[in-house]
Amino acid sequence: MRCIMNNIQKMILPKKQSNSRKDKKISTIKKLFSLTVPHYKKILLALLFVLIINVVQIIKPYILKVVIDDFLIKRMSANGLYSVTSMSILYLTLSLISAILIYFQVNIINRVGQKIIKNLRGRVFKTIQALPLHYLDKTSSGRLITRATNDVNELNDLYSEVLISLFKDVFLLVGIVSAMFLMNVELTLISFIVIPIMAYIVVKLKTKLRANFVDMKHYVGKINGFMAETISGMKIIQIFRGEKEKQKEFLEINNDYMKTTFLQVKYNSLLKPAAELFQSFATALLLWYGMTRITNQTLELGVLYAFTVYIRQFFNPISDLAEKYTSIQSALVSTDRIFDLLDEKEILEDTDIGLSLDTIHGEIEFKNVWFSYDNEEWVLKDVSFKVKKGETFAFVGETGAGKSTIINLINGFYKIQKGEILIDGININDIKLKDLRKNISVVLQDSFLFSGDIYMNVALNNDIDEKEIQEFLDLSCASSFINNFEKGIHTPVMERGNNFSSGQKQLLSFARAIAQKPSVIILDEATANIDTHTEKLIQRGINNITKDRTTLIIAHRLSTIRSADKIIVLKDGEIVEAGSDQELIDNGGYYKSMLVHNYS
Ligand SMILES: Nc1ncnc2c1ncn2[C@@H]1O[C@H](COP(=O)(O)OP(=O)(O)OP(=O)(O)O)[C@@H](O)[C@H]1O
């Protein structure tokens, strides 16, 4: 009995290879169970139903044994309730109760499974939203999508189908084995001769299965990542006729994935026939031994019959267990992957800790800042500057000089290695990120619009009324094109704003930036997509909205920043010049040569 339970447990739990792997596995199973805790009442009810269903399953062959031995062979006469008719009614009633309970049990457990999965999917999404940029830099979107979709769905199967039938099977096995031992110890031992060999084969297969599952999921993530990247880069692929090349790359990943699925099919298809073979072997052994005992008149025919039914009932869940084993393994790998993400608390950005600053005045100071993305190469080297409240600073320099990096740091997306960044004289690391970002609006070159409508894209979940939004759209000059739309600010926006031109998207991002009523506005190449006519409108809008606000502008087109209070010229992460447009021209240095190139 213990041997059987050990083997079943071994089938569920992978072999102890090392303490850390074992600990991880135990913690994965604990986590799976922890998700069920809020639903324990319903789960207990379902388990009670399972218990009753199993008791019925075990009693039914015994009723048949009584009918065969007592009424068929011994021809005993009916005695009160003890008759063939009452036995038949009992058999039917039990079957009916069992059928009704199966209906409720399946319903309860599936609903619980769906609720667990819904919560888990929500947690994965919340975590993904809190991932800092430095983590997203290194993680493909495909991997994250796979966590929220494929991996979560694997758990769906586990909760709604596998776990309950696992309980059912284990209860049933325990019940059957007990009934068999109670009826005839010798016959029971004969029936289970094959179990150790069978357990050995299953345990051998499981290591291979698990390793293959890890590979399979890796390739699913790769396929999702590749798809996501290809879809977002489809325009470039088509322009540069890269379809064939991409097709080839995809074929390779697809083939690798298929190889792992073939391996899975091979292992899976071995398990079921093996279980069936063992069942036939056990039945044959039982019949041979049972018949010799019946001939010697040391065994009743009904007992032998009940045993053949029990053997079938015993091996069915075993062969199901073998099948479910693959689902369990797959779900365990998915659980690891989901919780690896959910448990990475230290990498998650807590935007709610730190000093609360409802309004920021807008003084920004970099004091000898050194920064590297990868801790290997300095991207900013000893950068120092101070922007007073309401001033406009421009950052210029060739591609890769570090201009956008400065903006990323002011938004608190990365932490610097050396030096200090002060906002209103307070170290940026001490300020609540939420408050910091609330007060700083950034307009990027690639304006991102969400599917919805114009109003929602400008207000971005903030409680701003339509009249105010209209004012922001007027200020940013976006009204010039929105007024032509029949639905005005309720004009639908397609995914990523595909139904708007780059210039229109840019104007909407301006309105969005102002709508947050920030004390600091950052324009990162924000006028790059706008034609000269629109640029003039924008310039007027910018002048309105930057009044009394600290403004930082990054631009390659120097015409847009010449009126800035101070221009900072960067080269290879270092400030090489700083001053007003006139001062820098008078200097006759790097800025002046950039101006000459810009206007030539
Ligand atoms: N997320 C990142 N991870 C690693 N390195 C990065 C990352 N972003 C930028 N870099 C590197 O940092 C350096 C500065 O990049 P940055 O984007 O700040 O330059 P930039 O001056 O804004 O350039 P551009 O004018 O082309 O936008 C570059 O060498 C770039 O390769």
Side-chain angles (χ1 to χ4, degrees), residues 479-534:
S479 306
S480 59
F481 74 91
I482 295 173
N483 290 342
N484 296 331
F485 295 153
E486 206 181 302
K487 290 189 179 163
I489 60 169
H490 293 296
T491 303
V493 177
M494 278 159 56
E495 199 180 305
R496 278 175 290 157
N498 283 345
N499 52 336
F500 289 90
S501 73
S502 309
Q504 289 171 335
K505 281 198 262 185
Q506 200 67 274
L507 291 169
L508 287 174
S509 322
F510 274 102
R512 176 195 285 165
I514 321 160
Q516 313 308 310
K517 297 181 190 143
S519 7
V520 178
I521 284 208
I522 298 174
L523 309 173
D524 189 352
E525 295 285 356
T527 47
N529 287 325
I530 294 170
D531 61 59
T532 334
H533 166 71
T534 320

Side-chain angles (χ1 to χ4, degrees), residues 19-20 71 116 148 153 187 208 212 238 247 343 398 414 420 426 434 455 526 535 552:
N19 273 346
S20 67
F71 299 109
I116 292 175
N153 284 346
L187 226 51
K208 295 187 177 198
N212 197 46
Q238 290 182 355
Q247 185 76 34
D343 287 347
E398 60 197 26
Y414 300 89
E420 246 186 325
I426 305 164
K434 210 164 147 186
Y455 169 79
E535 190 180 322
L552 308 182

Side-chain angles (χ1 to χ4, degrees), residues 137 373-374 379 397-406 408 414 525 554 556:
D137 283 344
Y373 284 100
D374 52 12
V379 171
E398 60 197 26
T399 282
K403 305 179 294 289
S404 302
T405 302
I406 289 179
N408 284 338
Y414 300 89
E525 295 285 356
I554 294 177
H556 280 291

Side-chain angles (χ1 to χ4, degrees), residues 403-416:
K403 305 179 294 289
S404 302
T405 302
I406 289 179
I407 307 306
N408 284 338
L409 296 180
I410 295 173
N411 270 293
F413 285 129
Y414 300 89
K415 296 240 179 295
I416 55 170

Side-chain angles (χ1 to χ4, degrees), residues 433-449:
L433 273 179
K434 210 164 147 186
D435 290 351
L436 182 73
R437 292 181 189 160
K438 193 177 80 188
N439 284 283
I440 301 173
S441 276
V442 186
V443 180
L444 300 167
Q445 183 179 355
D446 298 318
S447 346
F448 194 94
L449 297 185

